[in-house]
């Protein structure tokens, strides 16, 4: 990929001369779609990124959100899609490494990871190869650096066949005194490179990620994929912690897209400054590297720090203590961004123009057509078997058992549940904020806050941080705008099911080639839908990533808006997903009692059997529903909570049954398939000892339907209309072991 003619004309006009080879390569990478967001930035203003809890919003390496007056978390997400197709192990592993270093850039210590993965059809050999390689890469890197992978999602869809998606989110912990940003502070400060030596791997990675995958990408684009070293990353994590502890860092940026050139120029540009860099000073691991290679290589495990002159020696000492390379490569100036190599000036440009001067694209857009209703005729038992055992809805235990999700001793609720819960003992517990209708105390003090006056020091309790991450390609393939709204609500429902209140979110917006009007129309829909629902839920979108040109000879991917959302609660306890052997089972949300009430659009049922339908309508008061659900989930009378989403009621009920506790359920619906397999978001199953308390909590917010009760025999009996499905925990476990059975 080379600099477009129109871009070159703009650069020549600005410089008053032809760019050097190194300058042209820098502009090519930093003005690429991957770095400059030329097709998406005009749309991103739809997101609300402000709130009293937001300390640092979009534009830095990671967002920063306050849990209390002193304790902050960082939140970031990135994609490593193209590299993971070419080399699934290293592509996915370096995606983990990159988002962890984004966390380090903010002066934070990484405490949790979440990965959302999307592949072609599971029974395809190539899809399985990519799937196994990506999971191995994530587990290897994350386990080696000691950061737990606690949440995420895995989806299979035929349109990912030529272009899988690997989206990784990271949560970090910092405070008001340790916070660092990626904005250079003062001319005269030194630029110090710490970490691995620079090699030739990852050259042109940013431009590679900004074009469609070619048929021969797995061989021809291999040099653009970085090679990770998690052991060096672990040393870098600890060295960064020491540097922050001693307040030696003025600003920081990790070396990711466009390598040293991208990191150093963006760092000074954000501060309205420049830099003088001597490229031969960069410590290298390969001989005879030229200026362009040093500038643009995306070798991993490297950080660029702004350091006051008097602190440089101490930074070098800490780097040496952790056996990391350290080079003083230049200094911050109030002039241009300049790079020399062996006495020759190879770059001399305005840093702001380099980082922000790319013109935006004005692209044609077509709205997707509304699907017609054309439902397949399938037997209820056959549909139940197919949907419950589908790879997309089946157990992901094969994936998450490879991750060390308990390292760090913070994981209260791990993967396999609606949302993870991470203990943040450093934060003080706060009384829940909410409206008087949904959070008022009910009879017998059922919904009183856990951190009341009798609890003593609220900091001894701490806060639980809930984390949910994922998308739903069937939903956004069927209806990009409504599907994206549903994804935001689904993640919020996951968090509320653990008794937490949504706090903030970051997004990873994945799309195909935006130059195709239908693709750009779908991408516009997911941006607007996600933004609208997050604003409705008062959940600011504080950062994110855009990945376009996920297109190949197999065609474009479905528009895929991965959302990683965090919520907060007092303490770390949460209701389980599985039912106990006694207690009433309620459904919060629409059941679909009449045929006209149910919609199967975007469902796994249609993915399995074909056909089409309208996408389900969303609840009238999603914000009130989430607030009420969080309060109910924390009640002493609540025994279990599980959201209803992928696979509908059929999958949700099956997931709640254990060897020791079953369910006997009756669904009086005229549309059995719609009632069991419809995937309207914003619904939850609640097992409770107090039906009336739950009804009161949702009064005026959402309908509450009594479905049945738990049993002590581990069976599931679902009567729907005039038919009954009967099975047990062992048979359900066997159905849901689709992935394990195939890959072991």
């Amino acid at each position: 990929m080379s600099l477009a003619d129109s871009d070159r004309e703009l650069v020549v006009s600005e410089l008053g001369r032809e760019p050097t080879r190194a300058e042209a390569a820098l502009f090519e990478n930093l003005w690429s779609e991957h770095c400059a967001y030329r097709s998406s930035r005009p749309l991103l203003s739809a997101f609300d990124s402000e709130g009293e809890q937001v300390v640092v919003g979009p534009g830095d390496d990671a967002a920063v959100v306050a849990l209390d007056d002193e304790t902050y978390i960082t939140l970031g997400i990135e994609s490593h899609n193209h590299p993971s197709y070419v080399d699934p192990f290293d592509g996915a592993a370096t995606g983990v490494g990159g988002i962890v270093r984004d966390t380090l850039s903010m002066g934070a210590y990484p405490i949790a990871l979440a990965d959302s993965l999307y592949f072609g059809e599971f029974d395809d050999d190539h899809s399985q190869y990519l799937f196994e390689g990506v999971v191995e890469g994530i587990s290897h890197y994350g386990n080696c650096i000691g950061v737990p992978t606690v949440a995420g999602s895995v989806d299979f869809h035929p349109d990912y066949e030529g272009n899988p998606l690997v989206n990784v989110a990271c949560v970090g912990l910092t405070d008001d005194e340790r916070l660092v940003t990626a904005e250079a502070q003062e001319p005269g400060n030194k630029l110090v490179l710490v970490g691995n030596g620079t090699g030739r791997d990852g050259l042109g990675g940013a431009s590679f990620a900004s074009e469609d995958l070619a048929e021969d990408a797995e061989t021809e684009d291999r040099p653009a994929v970085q090679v990770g070293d998690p052991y060096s990353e672990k040393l870098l994590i600890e060295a960064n912690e020491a540097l922050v502890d001693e307040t030696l860092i003025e600003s920081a940026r990790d070396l990711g897209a466009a390598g040293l050139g991208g990191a150093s120029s963006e760092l000074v540009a954000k501060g309205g400054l420049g830099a003088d860099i001597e490229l031969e000073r960069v410590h290298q691991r390969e001989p005879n590297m030229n200026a362009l290679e040093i500038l643009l290589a995306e070798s991993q495990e490297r950080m660029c720090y702004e350091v006051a002159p008097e602190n440089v020696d101490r930074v070098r000492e800490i780097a040496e203590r952790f056996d990391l390379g350290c080079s003083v490569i230049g200094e911050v100036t109030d002039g241009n961004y300049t790079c020399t190599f062996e006495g020759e000036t190879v770059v001399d440009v305005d840093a702001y123009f380099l980082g922000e001067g790319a013109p935006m694209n004005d692209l044609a857009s077509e709205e997707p057509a509304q699907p017609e209703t054309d439902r397949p005729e399938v037997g209820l038992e056959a549909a139940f078997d197919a949907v419950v055992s589908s790879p997309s809805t089946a157990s992901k235990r094969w994936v998450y058992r490879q991750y060390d999700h308990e390292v760090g001793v913070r994981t209260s609720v791990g993967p396999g549940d609606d949302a993870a819960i991470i203990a943040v003992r450093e934060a003080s517990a706060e009384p829940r904020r909410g409206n008087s209708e949904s959070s008022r105390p009910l009879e017998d003090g059922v919904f009183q806050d856990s951190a009341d006056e009798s609890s003593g020091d609220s900091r001894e309790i701490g806060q639980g941080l809930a984390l949910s991450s994922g998308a739903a390609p069937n939903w956004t393939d069927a209806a990009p705008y409504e599907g994206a709204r549903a994804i935001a609500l689904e993640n919020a429902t996951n968090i509320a099911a653990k008794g937490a209140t949504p706090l903030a979110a970051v997004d990873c917006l994945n799309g195909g080639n935006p130059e195709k009007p239908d693709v750009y129309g779908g991408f516009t829909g997911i941006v607007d839908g996600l933004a609208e629902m997050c604003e409705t839920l008062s959940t600011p979108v504080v950062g994110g990533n855009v990945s376009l040109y996920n297109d190949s000879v197999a065609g474009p991917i479905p528009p895929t808006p991965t959302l990683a959302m965090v919520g907060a609660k007092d303490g770390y306890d949460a209701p389980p997903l599985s039912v106990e052997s006694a207690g009433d089972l309620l459904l919060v949300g629409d059941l679909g009692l009449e045929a006209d009430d149910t919609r199967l659009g975007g469902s796994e049922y249609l993915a399995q059997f074909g056909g089409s339908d309208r996408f389900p309508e969303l609840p009238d008061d999603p914000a009130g529903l989430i607030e009420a659900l969080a309060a109910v989930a924390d009640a002493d009378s609540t025994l279990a909570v599980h959201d209803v989403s992928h696979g509908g009621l059929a999958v949700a009920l099956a997931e709640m049954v254990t060897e020791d506790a079953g369910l006997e359920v009756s669904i009086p619906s005229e549309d059995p398939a719609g009632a069991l397999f419809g995937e309207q978001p914003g619904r939850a199953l609640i097992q409770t000892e107090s039906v009336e308390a739950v009804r009161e909590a949702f009064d005026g917010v959402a309908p509450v339907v009594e479905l049945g009760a738990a049993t002590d025999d581990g069976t599931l009996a679902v009567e729907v209309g005039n038919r009954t499905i009967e099975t047990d925990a062992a048979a359900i476990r066997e159905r849901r072991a689709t992935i394990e059975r195939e890959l072991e």
Side-chain angles (χ1 to χ4, degrees), residues 364-379:
S365 173
E366 291 178 4
E367 288 193 18
Q370 293 296 316
E372 298 179 356
T373 298
D374 179 20
R375 293 188 181 186
E377 294 290 335
V378 185

Side-chain angles (χ1 to χ4, degrees), residues 723-743:
R723 307 180 214 178
T724 301
I725 296 174
E726 292 186 349
T727 187
D728 58 30
I732 290 170
R733 185 172 61 251
E734 180 64 20
R735 287 186 183 97
R736 301 193 68 240
T738 304
I739 294 174
E740 287 181 275
R741 194 164 48 246
E742 177 66 26
L743 299 182

Side-chain angles (χ1 to χ4, degrees), residues 374-391:
D374 179 20
R375 293 188 181 186
E377 294 290 335
V378 185
L380 210 59
E381 291 80 3
F384 181 87
D385 286 344
V387 171
V388 171
S389 63
S390 164

Side-chain angles (χ1 to χ4, degrees), residues 156-401:
F156 300 92
H157 188 288
D159 290 346
Y160 296 118
E161 178 59 39
N163 199 132
L165 303 182
V166 175
N167 298 171
V168 184
C170 185
V171 177
L173 185 63
T174 188
D175 58 42
D176 56 337
E177 295 183 354
R178 296 169 53 84
L179 181 62
V180 177
T181 69
E183 182 176 325
Q185 299 297 305
E186 188 175 342
N189 284 340
K190 301 299 182 181
L191 292 175
V192 182
L193 188 64
V194 174
N196 266 349
T198 298
R200 292 184 170 89
D201 54 318
L203 277 168
S207 57
F208 160 62
S210 302
E211 56 189 1
D212 295 350
L213 279 170
E215 193 168 5
D216 59 357
E218 289 178 283
T219 54
E220 294 302 311
D221 291 322
R222 183 63 187 82
V225 179
Q226 308 91 335
V227 178
D229 177 4
Y231 301 105
S232 293
E233 180 97 346
K234 177 60 175 174
L235 295 172
L236 191 57
I237 291 170
E238 301 306 326
N240 190 81
E241 188 76 354
L243 295 171
V244 173
D245 277 344
E246 297 188 26
T247 63
L248 299 173
I249 306 304
E250 304 301 321
S251 65
R253 194 122 204 175
D254 92 290
L255 272 68
L260 174 62
S264 57
S265 64
E266 290 169 353
L267 185 79
V268 297
K270 282 181 68 68
L273 299 169
D276 287 337
I277 294 174
E278 298 177 54
L279 294 174
E280 67 270 17
R281 291 189 174 189
V282 172
H283 54 283
Q284 302 160 41
R285 67 169 188 261
E286 295 188 35
N288 303 317
M289 293 186 67
N290 61 39
L292 191 150
E293 291 170 335
I294 296 169
L295 198 60
L296 289 177
E298 296 182 9
S299 303
Q300 296 293 284
E301 294 86 38
R302 300 180 299 162
M303 297 286 292
C304 182
Y305 295 117
E306 178 191 6
V307 180
E310 63 270 20
N311 291 330
V312 168
D313 288 343
R314 181 57 182 156
V315 170
R316 183 180 285 110
E317 288 174 5
I318 290 174
E320 290 175 353
R321 190 213 312 171
F322 288 96
D323 199 24
L324 294 168
C326 180
S327 304
V328 181
I329 60 172
E331 67 178 38
V332 179
T333 70
D334 55 7
N336 272 359
Y337 176 77
T338 65
C339 300
T340 61
F341 183 66
E342 297 178 346
E344 179 186 355
T345 299
V346 295
V347 175
D348 186 358
V349 299
D350 178 78
Y352 184 83
F353 178 70
L354 178 61
E356 300 293 332
M360 296 296 103
N361 294 331
D362 183 13
L363 300 175
S365 173
E366 291 178 4
E367 288 193 18
Q370 293 296 316
E372 298 179 356
T373 298
D374 179 20
R375 293 188 181 186
E377 294 290 335
V378 185
L380 210 59
E381 291 80 3
F384 181 87
D385 286 344
V387 171
V388 171
S389 63
S390 164
S392 287
T393 60
S395 170
K396 304 305 185 299
R397 181 177 177 274
W398 180 87
V399 177
Y400 61 73
R401 75 175 189 180

Side-chain angles (χ1 to χ4, degrees), residues 331-644:
E331 67 178 38
V332 179
T333 70
D334 55 7
N336 272 359
Y337 176 77
T338 65
C339 300
T340 61
F341 183 66
E342 297 178 346
E344 179 186 355
T345 299
V346 295
V347 175
D348 186 358
V349 299
D350 178 78
Y352 184 83
F353 178 70
L354 178 61
E356 300 293 332
M360 296 296 103
N361 294 331
D362 183 13
L363 300 175
S365 173
E366 291 178 4
E367 288 193 18
Q370 293 296 316
E372 298 179 356
T373 298
D374 179 20
R375 293 188 181 186
E377 294 290 335
V378 185
L380 210 59
E381 291 80 3
F384 181 87
D385 286 344
V387 171
V388 171
S389 63
S390 164
S392 287
T393 60
S395 170
K396 304 305 185 299
R397 181 177 177 274
W398 180 87
V399 177
Y400 61 73
R401 75 175 189 180
Q402 299 184 51
Y403 304 150
D404 186 344
H405 52 266
E406 295 183 346
V407 63
V409 202
R410 289 183 181 271
T411 308
S412 176
V413 177
D417 212 311
D418 289 338
I421 299 285
I422 299 298
V424 184
R425 304 175 188 89
E426 297 82 354
S428 58
E430 299 285 349
R432 185 184 306 282
R433 295 187 297 272
N435 63 53
S436 60
E437 291 298 315
S438 61
S439 60
R440 62 185 182 277
L442 299 184
E443 56 190 22
D444 300 321
V446 168
F447 296 147
Q448 285 181 350
D449 291 306
S450 58
D452 57 21
E453 293 181 1
S454 64
S455 300
D457 185 354
S458 62
R459 191 170 290 276
E460 293 179 5
I461 299 171
Q463 288 191 39
L465 188 73
L467 173 60
S468 173
S469 176
N474 286 340
W475 294 0
T476 44
D477 195 22
Y481 174 77
E482 290 297 333
R485 292 181 70 230
I487 286 167
L489 181 56
E490 154 72 0
N491 279 281
T493 306
N494 285 337
I495 284 171
K498 299 293 103 180
T501 303
L503 185 68
V506 291
D507 57 33
C508 192
L509 303 170
N510 305 272
N513 186 333
E515 298 164 42
K516 300 176 180 179
D518 59 331
V519 170
Y520 196 59
F523 184 80
T524 301
I526 64 172
V527 171
D528 291 343
L530 210 61
E532 191 276 337
M533 181 54 74
C534 286
E535 184 174 8
T536 297
L537 297 173
S538 300
T539 304
V541 179
V542 292
N545 176 74
V546 176
S547 175
L548 294 174
Y549 292 95
N550 292 290
D551 220 314
S552 69
V553 292
I557 64 162
T560 309
T562 298
L563 192 70
M565 185 181 289
V566 293
K569 65 176 298 178
D570 300 338
Y572 328 126
D573 293 335
L577 177 153
S578 302
V579 293
E580 296 186 8
S581 58
D584 295 307
L585 186 71
L586 309 178
L587 172 70
V588 173
D590 291 331
L591 179 57
L593 299 180
E594 299 179 7
D596 291 341
D597 295 338
T598 58
R599 297 182 178 185
L600 285 166
S603 66
E604 187 61 30
Y605 178 86
L606 292 186
Q608 290 293 313
F609 301 109
S612 60
D613 200 358
R614 299 164 299 165
F615 192 78
E617 293 185 350
L618 274 62
D620 293 333
D621 183 9
L625 185 148
I626 294 301
E627 191 168 17
L629 180 60
V632 169
D634 266 347
D636 292 338
S637 58
T638 297
L639 304 176
V641 182
H642 187 20
D643 87 301
V644 180

